[in-house]
Structure formats: C-alpha cells, structure tokens
Amino acid sequence: MRIPGLAIFSFLSILALSVSRQPGSSDELAYGTFTECLLRRSNPSYPISSAIYFPSNSSYSSVLQSYIRNLRFNESDTPKPQLILTALHESHIQTAIICAKYHGLQMRIRSGGHDFEGSSYVSNAPFFILDMFNLRSFNVSIEDETAWVEAGASVGEVYYKIGEKSNIHGFPTGTCPTVGVGGLFSGGGYGFRSRKYGLSVDNIIDARLVDVNGRILDRASMGEDLFWAITGGGGSSFGVVLAYKIKLVRLPPKVAIFTVQRTYEQNLTDIAYSLLQIVDKLDKEIFLKMVIDVVNDNRRVGKKTIRGTFLCYFIGDSTRLFSLVNKKFPELGLRKTDCTEHSWAESLVRWNNFPSGTPVEVLLSRVHPRLEYLKRKSDYLKKPIPKQGLESIFKKMIELETPLLKFFPYGGFLSEISPSEKPFPHRAGNIVKIEYATNWDESGILAANHYINLTRNLYNYMTPFVSKSRGAFFNYRDFDLGINHHAQNSYIEGAAYGNKYFKDNFHRLVQIKTSVDPENFFRNDQSIPIFQSIGSQ
Ligand SMILES: Cc1cc2nc3c(=O)[nH]c(=O)nc-3n(C[C@H](O)[C@H](O)[C@H](O)COP(=O)(O)OP(=O)(O)OC[C@H]3O[C@@H](n4cnc5c(N)ncnc54)[C@H](O)[C@@H]3O)c2cc1C
Ligand SMILES: *[C@@H]1O[C@H](CO)[C@@H](O)[C@H](O)[C@H]1NC(C)=O
Ligand SMILES: *[C@@H]1O[C@H](CO)[C@@H](O)[C@H](O)[C@H]1NC(C)=O
Ligand SMILES: *[C@@H]1O[C@H](CO)[C@@H](O)[C@H](O)[C@H]1NC(C)=O
Ligand SMILES: *[C@@H]1O[C@H](CO)[C@@H](O)[C@H](O)[C@H]1NC(C)=O
Ligand SMILES: *[C@@H]1O[C@H](CO)[C@@H](O)[C@H](O)[C@H]1NC(C)=O
C-alpha cells in the first residue's frame, strides 16, 4: 500500500476527527423511519408528501427516468432509490439532509441528470434521490448585468431567459440545452465562449447552499473557501447548491458560425496537424472545435475512412471570421459562403443541430432529443501531435470504429487565469482538451463492456501523445480513474481521481471538505474524501 507523505500525516493528526454519529438535535429524529422523519420534520406550510415518490407510486418510474440521460443506467438491474424527493421548497432539502444523516441513508443530488457515470441517481448503498428539477427559477437584472439561477434550471433556460431580456448579453457555459446548472456549474462549465470569457465558474459571484447541518448559506456566510470549492470542485461533496449568482457577459448582436468537413482523402492529416499548431493561439473570439470520427468511404464499398468536422463559433461578424481563419489556418480551405451570421439565440439552435427555422423555444425543452448508451473519457494535449502520430491514431480509430475524438480549444482567456483561482486546474499550457466519446444503442452489460473497452483501447493508444499526468475534466466523469469506498484508504483512493481532475487543488478541496462535512455525509463514488486519523475507520 502506498501511503501519503509525512506532511499529510502530521496534518492528519492535527485534524483527527471523531467519526461517531451525532444524535439529532431533537427527539423527533429518534424514532420512526426516514419517511416518518421527513413527514414529521417538514414545515406544515410546505407539505412534503406531495413531493415524495415511492416505488409504489404510479409515477415513480417516469419521475426516475425523466432525468436519466445515459441509458447505461436505465437497466432493470440498475440500483433504484428507496424514494425520490422532488423538492418543491428549500425547506424540503433542509429536512431531507437532517433525516438522511440521522438514518444513515445515502443521498444522491440530481439537477439535470447528465452525469456520465450516473452518479446523481445511482448508488450501490441504499439511497434516495433529491431531485432539483422543480427549483429552476431564473431572475435576471440587466441593469446589474447579473442573474440568480436555481440549480434545477437547464442551460437552455439560462440562454433563453437571458435572451428574453437582452440580445447583447450572454453567459459562458456548455451548449447542450438539457444539461443542468447544478452539475455543470458546480463542476466547471466549459463551452464555446470560454476562450473569451473563461468557464462558467470564472463568472459566478455568489451562491446559496444547504450545508450538512441544514443551514442555508450564501457566499458571505459560507466563506471564501467553501465558495471556492463549489465553483469547480463539484457540489455534491459539500452540500446542496440551491442557486448561483452569475455575472453576464456582453456579446455583439450577431455572431458567426461555420461547419466544414474534410475526409482523410481531402488531406485531413495536414489540416488536423495545422489546427493543433494554432488553435489555442487564435483570437479569443474564435472557438474552433475538431471532431474526428469513422465513416463509410463513399468511393470504396465496404471500406471505412476518417472524417474531420470543424465547427467554429465566433463572437463577431462573418467577414472578420472568414479573413481571420483564412489567414491563420489556410489549410482548412474555408470559403466565404461557409460562414453564416445569426443572433446568438439562433446560433444556439443551429449549433445544436436543430433544423434551421426551429423556434428558440426549443431551448426550453426538457426532453432530450436522442438518448443513447454513453461512455466518456478525457485528456489534455500539451504538445501538437506529429503527422505520423495522427496517421497512426486514424488507423487505430478505423480498427475500433465506434469511439470518436473531440478536440476542444484552450488558450485565450482560459490560460490567463491562475490554476489555483478555482478548483479547475487546466489553464495555461493546454492546446486542447480531448473528449473520447462512444455512443451505442444496444442494451445490456455485454454491449456496455464491448464499447467501454473500445473507448479504453483508444485512450490507452493515445498515451504517448497526451499530458504525462493524464489530467481529466471533472465534468466528464469517468469511473475508470478510480472510485472511493470511503473506508481506511479513502484519501488514497480519492487522490487517484482527485489529482487528475484537480491537480494541486485536490489537497485544498480535502481540507475544506474535512472542515465543512467532517462525517462525510455528502459522499458518492468520486466525492472529495476527508482526512482521517490513522486507525479510525
Ligand atoms: C449531452 C451532454 C453535453 C454536455 N456538454 C457539456 C459542455 O458543453 N460543457 C461542459 O463543461 N460539460 C458538458 N457536459 C458534462 C456536464 O457538465 C456534466 O455531466 C454535469 O455534471 C451535468 O450536470 P447535470 O446537473 O445535468 O447533472 P447531474 O447528473 O444532475 O449532476 C452531476 C453531478 O453534480 C451533482 N449535483 C447536481 N446538482 C447538484 C446540486 N444542486 N448541488 C450539489 N451537487 C449537485 C450530482 O450529485 C452529480 O454528482 C455535457 C454532458 C452531456 C450528457
Ligand atoms: C405517493 O404515495 C403516497 C402514499 O403511499 C402519498 O402519500 C404520496 O403523496 C404519493 N406521492 C405523490 C407525489 O403523489
Ligand atoms: C428506460 O427503461 C424503461 C424500463 O425498461 C423503458 O420503458 C424506457 O423506454 C427506457 N427509456 C428509454 C429512453 O429508452
Ligand atoms: C426569483 O424571484 C422570485 C420572486 O421574487 C423568488 O421567489 C425566487 O426565489 C427568485 N429566484 C432566485 C434564484 O433568486
Ligand atoms: C492535398 O494536398 C496536396 C498537396 O499539398 C494538394 O495538391 C491537393 O490539392 C490537396 N487536396 C485537397 C482535396 O485539398
Ligand atoms: C478488450 O480489448 C482488448 C484489446 O483489444 C481485447 O484483447 C479484449 O478481448 C477486449 N475485451 C472485451 C471484454 O471486449
């Protein structure tokens, strides 16, 4: 067994904590079941029973399934919650925490349900789901250029509600409209405006959280450490995020986009090679993403080829976009007619592949357009890949066929922010983040093992090209990096994934976790562990 360094041990002994359970503050806690506790302790002005779904309630399955976004966790053998609490009021959350703590029941917090490993609605220990989808108000103040957004809101709602009030304000975050604010913002929030404005967390100025004692805290009362932790370190290790206050950013009334595709036969190797030389150095307004996948070769029946899709989002007009890209990246062979101009709300509809003319109200839909079985992994690229390397990767991809690679540009404002400013550490020195994305349509463990294996094979194949430390993006949760059993080795188990997601910030996250949730109530398979004294459980 590997043990952490001496420094940590001396720190541990100072922090040595009792793990004995504190009894509840009032006698009401001391009898009955978890459900009885919920019913007895809830504020009668906000009846909780209409928010509780047991397996015996007829809508239990539909409530459970409506926010399962990865069909891998929609199987009959996926562990199911004892109940789902669809909180209608903040007091329901306070009650749920107090009762779950007393009864030793695991809580899973779910906002948009997009977690790639289902960690917001699956647990191997007995558990219940705290579902946040009813708490999704959004109050924007254009005068202050700020907004308060509740955790159960979706990204699409954020975009739409800002757009209702102003056509020159926006927010840097992800693009897929159904993703939830609770998970996306608490874990970082990268998107097509991040090279200019940073991550979502770089633009969050306040938050409201229910802590392990059921108290509602804001930035001033939680303090800067806890605020720092829940803006990039994930919410679910620290409490239940109720809402974030965001700083809006200014956008021009029109933005420009293009999508062009090149196959292997159209010199994709040279184009991809050139892209990796320049993509992080382009003007901050240019977000140029490359997706590499395997497609049928039109010219040779039964053969496969490699396709590159180049998707660009530009905070500016199409004339300038065309001239900047042609000057710095002539290998792409962009034509003026490839670039189109849109209001930024329209650009989102286009960017998400809705047919042109689709009303922007589509951003409000909570129905995911196409659910599939998913596996994701991530990497960071610090040196461009040589041409020969690209050739060999393409060959490997043809062999594996299904997994595809997405290259997300870094640089710009992202690299001007210190890696310790927020728990998200992947700042200067990264050319792109690579996402390994495998989607499939067959149910069952055999199919899952097959496709997950393919994804791991490609990830392993990439070893010589990517960062040695193999940093990973926390929002792309990946249980291959390790999971935590929350027993004697929990610090070491936590460091396995924690160092990849958070690098040098992991240690500070553990310190904060230890001080705000010393009994480790808020835990899941990849939560931040607490420091434990030697010999304690
Ligand atoms: C289709 C798709 C597109 C994506 N696009 C992007 C993208 O463009 N940029 C990007 O950065 N990421 C992206 N992601 C990843 C996404 O950011 C994460 O999966 C994120 O955690 C999803 O948030 P959620 O609320 O939908 O998920 P959930 O599954 O509800 O939650 C994810 C995690 O956050 C915790 N959590 C949720 N709500 C709260 C809360 N209120 N308080 C405390 N903890 C909470 C959960 O317990 C869980 O651990 C994408 C994912 C998908 C599936
Ligand atoms: C679920 O059923 C219980 C009774 O078994 C009831 O009290 C509760 O209100 C039902 N939940 C909902 C949301 O209707
Ligand atoms: C999830 O599983 C249920 C139960 O098997 C099934 O009825 C439902 O269609 C599944 N959801 C999707 C989107 O496939
Ligand atoms: C928005 O305003 C409404 C009405 O004042 C309030 O009930 C709600 O809590 C507010 N939401 C946020 C996230 O501040
Ligand atoms: C590929 O590159 C070669 C050599 O640079 C060039 O002659 C050819 O026109 C290019 N092909 C395409 C489709 O761009
Ligand atoms: C996983 O991939 C490896 C390497 O290609 C292969 O040898 C192994 O049989 C695969 N396992 C499964 C379960 O598909």
Side-chain angles (χ1 to χ4, degrees):
M1 183 185 80
R2 257 200 52 199
I3 44 174
L6 266 182
I8 292 172
F9 272 109
S10 42
F11 191 78
L12 289 179
S13 36
I14 297 164
L15 274 177
L17 288 155
S18 142
V19 291
S20 68
R21 173 184 287 167
Q22 299 295 315
S25 52
S26 68
D27 291 344
E28 304 158 69
L29 287 172
Y31 58 98
T33 60
F34 174 64
T35 307
E36 282 159 354
C37 179
L38 288 180
L39 296 172
R40 286 210 177 93
R41 297 242 346 161
S42 68
N43 181 336
S45 323
Y46 305 104
I48 202 168
S49 75
S50 55
I52 301 177
Y53 294 82
F54 300 104
S56 55
N57 292 74
S58 59
S59 336
Y60 170 88
S61 294
S62 63
V63 172
L64 177 63
Q65 285 159 26
S66 29
Y67 291 91
I68 293 181
R69 306 303 200 182
N70 183 348
L71 293 183
R72 226 172 6 116
F73 305 105
N74 187 48
E75 303 275 22
S76 54
D77 56 0
T78 305
K80 304 288 187 291
Q82 290 186 356
L83 63 85
I84 305 168
L85 176 65
T86 60
L88 298 162
H89 187 263
E90 294 175 350
S91 65
H92 294 166
I93 300 170
Q94 296 174 290
T95 304
I97 292 173
I98 303 285
C99 293
K101 205 168 53 162
Y102 185 76
H103 285 276
L105 188 63
Q106 281 279 293
M107 176 163 89
R108 287 292 172 270
I109 313 164
R110 181 164 76 170
S111 286
H114 286 69
D115 192 283
F116 286 119
E117 299 284 6
S119 85
S120 55
Y121 55 90
V122 181
S123 167
N124 287 318
F127 73 108
F128 76 106
I129 295 176
L130 171 65
D131 230 326
M132 300 291 288
F133 64 84
N134 286 315
L135 301 176
R136 59 195 208 217
S137 71
F138 186 95
N139 299 336
V140 57
S141 160
I142 294 299
E143 306 81 73
D144 294 355
E145 304 187 295
T146 63
W148 270 104
V149 51
E150 282 186 311
S154 66
V155 165
E157 282 161 353
V158 170
Y159 285 129
Y160 184 87
K161 300 261 166 80
I162 298 173
E164 263 185 334
K165 291 278 169 67
S166 164
N167 65 354
I168 55 155
H169 286 89
F171 189 66
T173 190
T175 42
C176 172
T178 53
V179 174
V181 159
L184 179 71
F185 287 13
S186 64
Y190 169 94
F192 55 4
R193 296 168 184 156
S194 294
R195 296 192 67 248
K196 178 145 174 87
Y197 297 111
L199 301 184
S200 302
V201 289
D202 298 325
N203 298 277
I204 289 176
I205 52 181
D206 204 341
R208 296 181 73 237
L209 174 94
V210 188
D211 79 354
V212 71
N213 298 312
R215 291 175 305 182
I216 296 182
L217 306 174
D218 65 4
R219 181 173 182 171
S221 53
M222 78 178 76
E224 287 304 302
D225 273 344
L226 183 50
F227 178 71
W228 178 84
I230 61 164
T231 48
S236 53
S237 300
F238 301 97
V240 177
V241 176
L242 295 171
Y244 284 110
K245 186 179 191 183
I246 60 177
K247 180 94 193 104
L248 305 183
V249 301
R250 291 198 188 170
L251 294 169
K254 294 271 180 193
V255 296
I257 59 181
F258 69 71
T259 304
V260 300
Q261 295 190 321
R262 299 287 182 261
T263 60
Y264 181 77
E265 292 70 26
Q266 292 169 312
N267 293 345
L268 180 62
T269 309
D270 293 347
I271 300 171
Y273 173 81
S274 306
L275 175 117
L276 294 176
Q277 307 287 327
I278 52 105
V279 75
D280 57 318
K281 299 172 198 81
L282 293 171
D283 299 53
K284 287 178 191 170
E285 288 74 22
I286 303 182
F287 170 94
L288 181 50
K289 161 178 152 188
M290 173 171 73
V291 180
I292 303 285
D293 63 354
V294 178
V295 292
N296 290 325
D297 186 343
N298 291 333
R299 302 170 320 164
R300 297 174 301 158
V301 179
K303 294 278 185 202
K304 301 282 176 190
T305 189
I306 292 283
R307 172 177 68 177
T309 304
F310 299 83
L311 302 113
C312 185
Y313 187 93
F314 179 61
I315 304 171
D317 63 63
S318 61
T319 312
R320 200 165 129 72
L321 172 61
F322 174 71
S323 88
L324 281 172
V325 171
N326 254 0
K327 193 165 118 221
K328 309 234 169 89
F329 187 30
E331 297 82 1
L332 185 61
L334 187 69
R335 291 167 308 176
K336 182 119 219 289
T337 50
D338 293 325
C339 307
T340 53
E341 257 177 40
H342 308 271
S343 73
W344 67 256
E346 254 169 45
S347 72
L348 276 164
V349 172
R350 285 292 285 269
W351 190 262
N352 283 292
N353 289 323
F354 294 108
S356 96
T358 306
V360 290
E361 279 66 30
V362 74
L363 297 175
L364 298 175
S365 170
R366 288 180 166 250
V367 181
H368 195 285
R370 183 165 142 75
L371 288 170
E372 290 172 289
Y373 298 77
L374 316 172
K375 175 65 188 172
R376 294 293 185 274
K377 301 179 74 66
S378 59
D379 252 323
Y380 282 90
L381 191 72
K382 294 185 183 291
K383 285 185 307 206
I385 304 175
K387 282 189 191 173
Q388 251 185 339
L390 287 167
E391 292 277 343
S392 71
I393 293 165
F394 294 166
K395 218 170 123 204
K396 187 73 187 174
M397 288 181 75
I398 291 203
E399 180 194 319
L400 301 172
E401 214 170 307
T402 318
L404 54 86
L405 294 178
K406 302 182 187 180
F407 296 76
F408 291 93
Y410 272 56
F413 183 56
L414 277 175
S415 57
E416 292 167 22
I417 301 175
S418 147
S420 59
E421 184 73 26
K422 290 288 170 189
F424 173 88
H426 312 290
R427 304 286 189 172
N430 293 296
I431 300 172
V432 290
K433 169 184 73 210
I434 301 175
E435 176 184 354
Y436 301 76
T438 310
N439 292 16
W440 63 98
D441 283 321
E442 304 117 73
S443 71
I445 188 76
L446 288 177
N449 284 347
H450 171 72
Y451 288 103
I452 292 171
N453 195 31
L454 296 181
T455 321
R456 289 176 185 154
N457 283 348
L458 185 57
Y459 179 82
N460 292 338
Y461 192 80
M462 293 293 283
T463 307
F465 306 110
V466 297
S467 80
K468 287 210 174 49
S469 59
R470 287 240 91 158
F473 182 31
F474 178 68
N475 270 153
Y476 293 172
R477 196 186 294 280
D478 176 8
F479 281 177
D480 295 352
L481 304 177
I483 59 167
N484 208 313
H485 299 87
H486 300 290
Q488 285 101 314
N489 287 337
S490 82
Y491 180 87
I492 295 163
E493 286 180 344
Y497 52 84
N499 287 328
K500 298 214 181 299
Y501 291 142
F502 306 115
K503 300 197 159 183
D504 294 345
N505 296 326
F506 175 65
H507 194 74
R508 182 172 172 202
L509 286 168
V510 177
Q511 285 177 290
I512 296 168
K513 166 73 180 181
T514 308
S515 84
V516 303
D517 182 21
E519 292 178 36
N520 197 19
F521 169 69
F522 289 111
R523 66 176 185 268
N524 58 54
D525 290 311
Q526 277 194 344
S527 57
I528 302 294
I530 54 169
F531 285 123
Q532 287 166 302
S533 58
I534 308 309
S536 90
Q537 296 301 299

